Amino acid sequence: MQGNDDNINPELLAVLRRATTTPQEAASLIPNKTVILVTITEALARPGSMLDLFLESFWVGNRTQELLRHLVIVSLDHKAHQQCQAVHPHCYEMSSPSTKQLSNLTTDALFMTQEYLVVVWRKIELVASVLQLGYDLLLTVCTLPKIT
């Protein structure tokens, strides 16, 4: 089911199109509209942190380099977005009035707090938008392990 592009953030649509269209695919009758989505925060995006390790795994894996062009990194804050743009071509900053008013999305929000729920719902809305546009979707996680 393909949805209407009118209600979709134009920046999101542009990133999705770049991540799924190569010159060869543009000429194809059946384009590959598969995207891999991962969300990051500033803490995950710092140089030498989890984002670098995550991206490196695509370079060192067996036949995984070609998947990088389908990877869309969704940043939850502006600092993460800036770092993403420095290391990857397909970055989308997921911001809205509801997320901008939150005090700090760069740290883990406690389960079921207002900050946690806002972020969860924004992610659900993002996934719904991507699916409504007719894209195939793989969600993955890039996270810091909790050390206690």
Side-chain angles (χ1 to χ4, degrees), residues 20-125:
T20 58
T21 306
T22 63
Q24 298 83 8
E25 289 172 337
S28 170
L29 293 176
I30 306 173
N32 182 349
K33 291 183 76 174
T34 301
V35 292
I36 303 167
L37 290 183
V38 64
T39 57
I40 61 167
T41 63
E42 185 267 333
L44 297 170
R46 291 181 188 131
S49 191
M50 289 302 294
L51 179 59
D52 288 340
L53 183 61
F54 181 74
L55 291 172
E56 182 183 344
S57 71
F58 284 93
W59 287 104
V60 300
N62 292 328
R63 296 179 19 178
T64 55
Q65 287 181 13
E66 61 200 46
L67 298 174
L68 272 171
R69 68 183 177 81
H70 290 279
L71 176 65
V72 175
I73 300 173
V74 179
S75 51
L76 298 179
D77 54 69
H78 190 65
K79 285 184 181 181
H81 187 66
Q82 290 176 317
Q83 183 58 26
C84 177
Q85 290 179 313
V87 298
H88 190 67
H90 309 307
C91 304
Y92 174 69
E93 185 173 2
M94 186 175 76
S95 61
S96 70
S98 60
T99 56
K100 285 182 180 177
Q101 72 185 6
L102 297 176
S103 60
N104 187 5
L105 288 179
T106 63
T107 60
D108 286 337
L110 294 176
F111 182 69
M112 296 305 288
T113 62
Q114 180 65 30
E115 288 183 345
Y116 177 85
L117 294 174
V118 167
V119 171
V120 167
W121 278 107
R122 287 290 294 133
K123 288 179 183 181
I124 290 169
E125 291 167 357

